[in-house]
C-alpha cells in the first residue's frame, strides 16, 4: 500500500500570500497524484490530477508539480475562499486508493 | 449537472447492519465506476470500496473486507453499500464519488455527493 505523507499539517498564512503544500509517497507513483480541496461541511473536490493538470473550472492560481515520490501544490496568492483542508491522493497502485492525512490552510 | 445524493445514514448499535444508498443523476450512471469514501469526525479521508460501471467487479479496503458489500442497480441509477457487523470505528460520513473513467476505472474521483453520516454507538 502506498502511504502518502503531507506536510505541514497546518499552514497559517494571510490572504494574498503564497502557499506551498507538500505530499511525499512511500514509493514512486509516477505522476499519478491528485489534489483535493475540502471546505468545512462540504465534500472534497478535485483540484489537480496527474500531478500538474488543473481540473475543470479550477483557477490558475492553483498549480501542482512533482513526480515519483515528491509533489507540491502551490496556491500563488491566497483568496479568502482558499482557506480549507487539502488532500493528496495516489492512483498508481491500487487497491487501495490512498489519501494523505491532509494539510489545513488557515488564516493567520 | 452531475449529482450524487446519499441516504440511509443514522445511528446503529455495534454489531448491527445498515444499508446506504447513493442516487445518481445528470450523467449516464451505467458508464462509470463509483466509489465509497468515508471520513471519521475530524479526521481525513479513507477509501472504502469501488464497483465497476457494469457491476462485474468490486474492490474493498482491508478494514471493511468481508463486512461491507458494494452493489449497484443501473436500472435505478443507484449505488448501495451494505454494512454488516458495524463497529465504533466505522462511525463516519460516507461519501459516494464518481470515478472519472468512462467504462474503465481511473481511480480519480471527479464528482462527490454530500455524504451520509453513520454513527455506531450503543
Amino acid at each position: 500500500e502506498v502511504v502518502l505523507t503531507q506536510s505541514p499539517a497546518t499552514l497559517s498564512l494571510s490572504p494574498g500570500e503564497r502557499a506551498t503544500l507538500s505530499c511525499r509517497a512511500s514509493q514512486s507513483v509516477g505522476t499519478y497524484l491528485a489534489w483535493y480541496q475540502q471546505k468545512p461541511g462540504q465534500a472534497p473536490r478535485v483540484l489537480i490530477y496527474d500531478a500538474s493538470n488543473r481540473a475543470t473550472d479550477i483557477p490558475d492560481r492553483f498549480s501542482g508539480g512533482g513526480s515519483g515520490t515528491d509533489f507540491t501544490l502551490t496556491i500563488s496568492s491566497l483568496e479568502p475562499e482558499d482557506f480549507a483542508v487539502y488532500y493528496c491522493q495516489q492512483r498508481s497502485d491500487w487497491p487501495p486508493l490512498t489519501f494523505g492525512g491532509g494539510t489545513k490552510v488557515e488564516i493567520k | 449537472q452531475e449529482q450524487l445524493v446519499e441516504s440511509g445514514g443514522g445511528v446503529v448499535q455495534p454489531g448491527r447492519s445498515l444499508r446506504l444508498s447513493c442516487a445518481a443523476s445528470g450523467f449516464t450512471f451505467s458508464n462509470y465506476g463509483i466509489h465509497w469514501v468515508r471520513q471519521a469526525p475530524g479526521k481525513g479521508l479513507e477509501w472504502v470500496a469501488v464497483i465497476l460501471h457494469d457491476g462485474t467487479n468490486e474492490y474493498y479496503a482491508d478494514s471493511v473486507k468481508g463486512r461491507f458489500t458494494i452493489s449497484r442497480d443501473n436500472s435505478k441509477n443507484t449505488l448501495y453499500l451494505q454494512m454488516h457487523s458495524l463497529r465504533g470505528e466505522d462511525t463516519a460520513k460516507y461519501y459516494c464519488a464518481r470515478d472519472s473513467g468512462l467504462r474503465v476505472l481511473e481511480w480519480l474521483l471527479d464528482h462527490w455527493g454530500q455524504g451520509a453520516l453513520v454513527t455506531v454507538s450503543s
Side-chain angles (χ1 to χ4, degrees):
Chain A
E1 172 178 328
V2 177
V3 177
L4 299 176
T5 303
Q6 291 187 240
S7 61
T10 304
L11 199 51
S12 299
L13 294 168
S14 301
E17 289 193 295
R18 182 184 188 90
T20 303
L21 288 66
S22 174
C23 177
R24 177 163 289 178
S26 59
Q27 64 192 65
S28 176
V29 298
T31 56
Y32 289 119
L33 189 103
W35 291 92
Y36 296 81
Q37 176 193 64
Q38 186 179 32
K39 297 179 182 179
Q42 295 186 18
R45 68 162 177 164
V46 60
L47 298 175
I48 301 287
Y49 65 95
D50 293 351
S52 61
N53 296 293
R54 273 187 300 277
T56 303
D57 295 331
I58 301 303
D60 61 7
R61 63 179 181 274
F62 291 93
S63 62
S67 65
T69 60
D70 290 292
F71 300 86
T72 56
L73 173 69
T74 301
I75 310 171
S76 60
S77 179
L78 283 164
E79 297 288 338
E81 62 266 28
D82 299 338
F83 291 93
V85 180
Y86 294 84
Y87 295 95
C88 57
Q89 174 241 314
Q90 67 82 24
R91 65 186 190 98
S92 170
D93 182 52
W94 48 262
L97 181 159
T98 53
F99 294 93
T103 290
K104 181 180 181 180
V105 179
E106 65 175 22
I107 300 176
K108 187 174 182 180
Chain B
Q1 73 276 20
E2 299 87 344
Q3 192 171 13
L4 298 164
V5 179
E6 301 91 340
S7 62
V11 181
V12 60
Q13 293 179 326
R16 303 298 290 268
S17 300
L18 195 67
R19 188 179 81 161
L20 301 180
S21 300
C22 169
S25 60
F27 64 99
T28 304
F29 182 70
S30 60
N31 280 347
Y32 292 89
I34 309 289
H35 301 252
W36 286 102
V37 175
R38 68 185 180 182
Q39 186 170 37
K43 302 297 184 182
L45 302 170
E46 180 189 14
W47 175 79
V48 173
V50 63
I51 187 166
L52 268 66
H53 66 287
D54 57 3
T56 55
N57 206 354
E58 312 110 53
Y59 300 94
Y60 296 92
D62 286 347
S63 58
V64 306
K65 200 173 295 182
R67 299 188 300 123
F68 290 11
T69 302
I70 189 172
S71 63
R72 65 191 297 159
D73 185 338
N74 285 347
S75 69
K76 296 181 178 179
N77 290 345
T78 302
L79 174 79
Y80 303 101
L81 186 68
Q82 179 68 55
M83 304 182 288
H84 295 295
S85 304
L86 283 161
R87 308 165 179 166
E89 53 265 38
D90 296 318
T91 293
K93 180 170 280 191
Y94 285 73
Y95 296 98
C96 57
R98 193 184 81 169
D99 190 280
S100 65
L102 182 64
R103 299 194 201 98
V104 63
L105 287 180
E106 293 286 357
W107 297 82
L108 177 68
L109 311 179
D110 64 354
H111 292 279
W112 297 61
Q114 285 304 303
L117 183 61
V118 174
T119 302
V120 183
S121 174
S122 54

